[in-house]
């Protein structure tokens, strides 16, 4: 079971470290309270991902208590942390990794503004250039689905497949984001809350101005190709 | 008076430590300002509870200045801190411990969004799954009651007895929460503010979508039984 | 000039220390940005007060750069800091000390929610018990007055004399608060923002419920006499 | 290329240090998330400015990785950081430096309240004295313009030339601010968000009261001339 080849063991150790540390960004950006929210990361070169344990305080997370699961969401036996329960959203993460091979990281939060849009079942319209840059248009809503089977994962994959957005607002629930790496998915979780907040504030004060579609396209294209120190790659 | 058996002295010392430290969570989660808010914890194996002193800065709280009271809210003489005044909400905490034997912790804050609902005398409707998980439905309002007799404690107990919610919004006043432990009551205080904020933001932007009752029931049942590293137990 | 008797020198040194340190509470409670806001404290036993210098970063405040003024707001020569400019609100502080002999501290901020009420010229209605406790009723509005003469000080004193509230919302400007000590005035500055925020949030979601006047009176009386470790004294 | 005279090398080193450190103020004041936002500073005595690299975490900024550009926005070869990509807003900063010789610093953020006004294409009305002090009246809106040519820089310069305000809300995008130094431009970025928030909160609760024009003029004149420890100078 845990008899991974040595190079996979190294990849698992790196992913544990990365996923554990990234949780601090959820706290720093005000996206989570108490033990809510979770991050996972695909292990490069293996049919496995690393995810947060369930109901553990953010202060107590460490690389060692992250949990390794296979792509069915089953804990890999005899690995550090395997005696614990993984995040209650593990099935949804697993479904995404099984069905979206380019996804390297998944994040879920109940960040307040994004969850407010989710409670209305309302997509966030693209009225700020930062949304055009990051999400290429509106941030869509996924179906109402409750924990217990594949329905959350199904809703995420159905909504985001072929969509520019790396974020989906699951109705009455909250945002799930994907990325080519765990860090990229965390960035999307930060940016979806920022967009949800800014657009709600904008609309609360009066009529917003739409951005023309060709400008949205130009902004998205430029940002995906020219921003930052390396070429960025869109998930879409 | 303070001639407790040694095992109770140990339990008191542990409860002082726990209650003192938990106050930092009220600050960290933005639930309190200045010296407002208070936490108490029942001493296991004794008819006593530990509570914050009145009007002391959060920076100056320590296990030693927590105050031990009996279940009538009377300070236990000759114990550390007994020369000081306990929280002005002590009578309400005592009433809860006398009348709800499963309660191990009580928290009171004036957290802004929850207090806003309280000022309207309006229950928070269950339109997000996190509320269904944590509170099993709406968060109810308790009566208007002023400090000075048992009316606050009475209002809390009447509202929460037999209710799934561990939080009550006392009208014009603010939230009181209960839990099987002080930490559990603090969690409820954090989650009630988070729910109050998210649902207010949701409604501010338009119509929210109700969650079907059977889905609320399923979410509550699962969360109370399967979430976290141990079986959780509902107060209700 | 600076030839104060030794006991006054000691009192000045203590007031410098206290006023300097209290500014950290304005930052911690989110009441100020950049170099905005100011605190002063009356020197016990002398016709003098200590106030923040103008336009200095909160990171750079120290007991030494606080400025000593007489009750006309004139800098006391040859004292530490006397080569610098005091807060541009010094004349208003001086006017309060000259005309309200029980006042030991004055605070001014542009905290966002309180300033929002000030921009509407609207008193904050007493719909939460914390306001009844702390301010004994509504928080009043003072006149529009601009810097340059005694008009701000005049407006503060006229509004607060004989009023239970230790806070006034100067129209289009922001809150000024008074207290029997600098710390007490800072507490009032924290509590006025908390009240301004909670009541605005309450009203944003619908109709608030008024608190009966006799309940307000009872809460105010109790809080002024019984809260905390010592007898509190109302300014009114 | 990098063969600057020694006194310019000293000025570049100082500007790198200042611009690098000032980015912490954007984080501290909640104006930016993730890698968004940027600050630049003109190098005194040279046709050059220093700007943040593109897409680098705020934790990783240092004087060494700031980038030196000429006034056409072209990276100066063989200087530290010159192998990296500068902020994607570099062309806009360069345009401002070329066309506004008194400007010593430029800041851009997507701070939430200011960006909300920008998404509505609505100028912030001057209903609080802090705005009169700092901006001398309303904060104007600039045109919709997308990255890729001089259109953003053009919009900033056209809007702010001859205007008292040091801040412009670029439509659907966010605030740009200018100052006589990088620190002064950062102050304007902090104050524009504070004004945007307070005025939006004010208006959300009802009708605001206008400040008479002569009072605005008096407040602006006084603040530009008398506030702080030195004479301030308006950009306008």
């Amino acid at each position: 079971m845990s008899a991974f080849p040595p190079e996979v063991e190294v990849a698992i150790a790196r992913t544990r470290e990365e996923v554990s540390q990234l949780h601090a960004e959820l706290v720093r950006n005000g996206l989570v309270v108490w033990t809510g929210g979770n991050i996972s990361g695909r292990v490069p070169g293996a049919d496995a991902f690393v995810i947060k344990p369930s109901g553990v305080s953010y202060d107590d997370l460490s690389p060692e208590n992250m949990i390794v699961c296979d792509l069915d969401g089953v804990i890999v036996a005899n690995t550090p942390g395997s005696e614990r329960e993984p995040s209650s959203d593990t099935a949804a993460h697993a479904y995404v990794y099984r069905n979206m091979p380019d996804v390297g990281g998944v994040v879920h939060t109940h960040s307040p503004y994004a969850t407010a849009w989710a409670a209305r079942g309302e997509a966030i319209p693209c009225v700020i250039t930062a949304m055009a840059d990051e999400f290429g248009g509106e941030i869509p809503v996924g179906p109402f689905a409750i924990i217990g089977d594949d329905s959350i994962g199904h809703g995420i994959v159905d909504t985001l497949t072929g969509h520019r957005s790396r974020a989906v607002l699951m109705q009455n629930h909250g945002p799930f984001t994907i990325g080519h790496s765990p860090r990229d998915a965390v960035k999307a979780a930060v940016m979806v809350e920022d967009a949800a907040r800014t657009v709600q504030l904008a609309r609360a004060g009066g009529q917003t101005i739409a951005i023309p579609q060709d400008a949205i396209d130009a902004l998205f294209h430029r940002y995906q190709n020219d921003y930052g120190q390396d070429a960025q790659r869109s998930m879409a």
Side-chain angles (χ1 to χ4, degrees), chain A:
Chain A
M1 289 290 199
S2 74
F4 286 113
E7 68 275 15
V8 173
E9 290 287 358
V10 169
I12 289 173
R14 281 189 189 139
T15 308
R16 282 180 182 278
E17 182 89 17
E18 182 182 13
V19 169
S20 171
Q21 288 182 356
L22 280 168
H23 281 89
E25 295 292 340
L26 302 188
V27 175
R28 169 148 81 158
N29 286 279
L31 306 186
V32 292
V33 296
W34 210 250
T35 62
N38 41 72
I39 302 175
S40 69
R42 191 192 289 269
V43 179
D47 285 338
F49 64 96
V50 167
I51 194 165
K52 173 169 166 278
S54 181
V56 172
S57 167
Y58 279 86
D59 293 344
D60 297 332
L61 296 182
S62 68
E64 291 71 33
N65 61 22
M66 296 293 112
I67 296 174
V68 184
C69 294
D70 67 24
L71 296 191
D72 292 317
V74 177
I75 300 172
V76 177
N78 300 320
T79 54
S82 63
E83 73 289 358
R84 313 191 80 169
E85 291 296 321
S87 164
S88 56
D89 294 302
T90 297
H93 290 246
Y95 191 94
V96 173
Y97 290 118
R98 280 204 306 281
N99 289 281
M100 299 184 90
D102 291 339
V103 169
V106 177
V107 174
H108 171 50
T109 78
H110 298 158
S111 62
Y113 281 95
T115 304
W117 290 86
R120 294 192 299 265
E122 187 179 9
I124 308 174
C126 183
V127 296
I128 50 176
T129 57
M131 275 185 72
D133 289 344
E134 192 69 37
F135 298 107
E138 74 167 23
I139 295 168
V141 173
F144 179 73
I146 68 171
I147 283 181
D149 56 19
D150 275 347
S151 61
I152 294 178
H154 206 281
I156 299 167
V157 170
D158 278 6
T159 310
L160 295 184
T161 298
H163 202 290
R164 284 177 177 175
S165 175
R166 307 201 310 290
V168 52
L169 309 171
M170 292 299 285
Q171 185 191 307
N172 294 113
H173 188 167
F176 282 81
T177 61
I178 58 175
H180 55 76
S181 68
R183 185 171 187 83
D184 186 45
V186 171
K187 183 188 182 190
V190 171
M191 300 311 282
V192 72
E193 178 65 6
D194 194 50
R197 180 174 58 171
T198 300
V199 178
Q200 173 139 349
L201 293 174
R203 232 176 41 172
Q207 191 73 26
T208 55
I209 300 173
I211 303 180
Q213 186 61 44
D214 61 341
I216 291 175
D217 294 345
L219 286 164
F220 183 63
H221 181 77
R222 182 202 64 84
Y223 191 75
Q224 299 306 314
N225 290 288
D226 301 339
Y227 184 81
Q229 298 302 326
D230 311 298
Q232 313 269 320
R233 222 134 8 104
S234 163
M235 291 303 312

